Amino acid sequence: MSAALQKTVIATASLMTEARDPWWIISGAAAAIHGAHPITVSDVDVMVSVSDARRIFSRVGIRKAPPSDHPRFRSEAFGQWTECPLVVEFMANFMLRELDGVWRPMKPATRQQIRVESATLFVPEIWELRAMFERFGRAKDHERIALLDRLSR
C-alpha cells in the first residue's frame, strides 16, 4: 500500500469513529487494503448512510455535491474530503445503473475488519469486492479482478 493511501485510510478511519451505521471502503482502495498489488489508487471511496454523511460533511466542512449526471453511478449524498494525501469520496445510497439499464443499490452484504497500524477499516470481503468490480465492468475493474484472483490462489 502506498504511503499516501495508508495516510488517507488512517485519517478516514479516525473520522469514521463517529459513524453510527456500517460503512465500507470500496473499489481500488479496498483491493489495496486486501493486499492487491501492484495497484494504482487515485482516491478512497467510502460508502456511508445518509445520516452519517450529513454528520461527517457538517463536521469537516464537506459540501454536498449536486446530483450527478453520470450515466452509471449516482448517490443520494456525495461529497469529497480533500484534506488527505488522496481525495476521499463519501457516497450515501450509492446506486449503479446496470448493463440492463436498471438502477440498483450497491450495498455490501459483508463487512471485513482490517487493521492498518492503529486504524480499523471496513471493506467488503474479497469475493464480494470482486463481484462489485464485475458489476462496474470498466477496464480498470477487470484489472482489479485479476489482482484479487491472484490473492485467493
Side-chain angles (χ1 to χ4, degrees), residues 68-87:
S68 172
D69 60 355
H70 193 283
R72 299 232 24 242
F73 304 107
R74 69 179 180 204
S75 299
E76 184 175 333
F78 178 85
Q80 295 181 318
W81 188 34
T82 59
E83 301 301 314
C84 296
L86 300 178
V87 172

Side-chain angles (χ1 to χ4, degrees), residues 22-35 44-48 91 94 106-114 121-133 135-136 148 151:
W23 59 275
W24 298 261
I25 293 175
I26 63 165
S27 243
I33 290 165
H34 273 295
V44 174
D45 297 319
V46 183
M47 295 178 69
V48 297
M91 300 165 279
F94 180 50
M106 292 290 296
K107 184 174 181 182
T110 61
R111 191 166 184 248
Q112 183 175 348
Q113 178 178 316
I114 297 178
L121 308 172
F122 296 97
V123 294
E125 291 184 16
I126 288 177
W127 66 266
E128 187 172 27
L129 183 61
R130 187 187 191 289
M132 291 175 87
F133 289 140
R135 287 178 69 188
F136 295 154
L148 291 179
L151 288 177

Side-chain angles (χ1 to χ4, degrees), residues 53-68:
R54 286 187 192 119
R55 199 170 14 271
I56 291 163
F57 290 10
S58 173
R59 178 173 173 249
V60 295
I62 296 172
R63 229 189 194 123
K64 181 181 169 188
S68 172

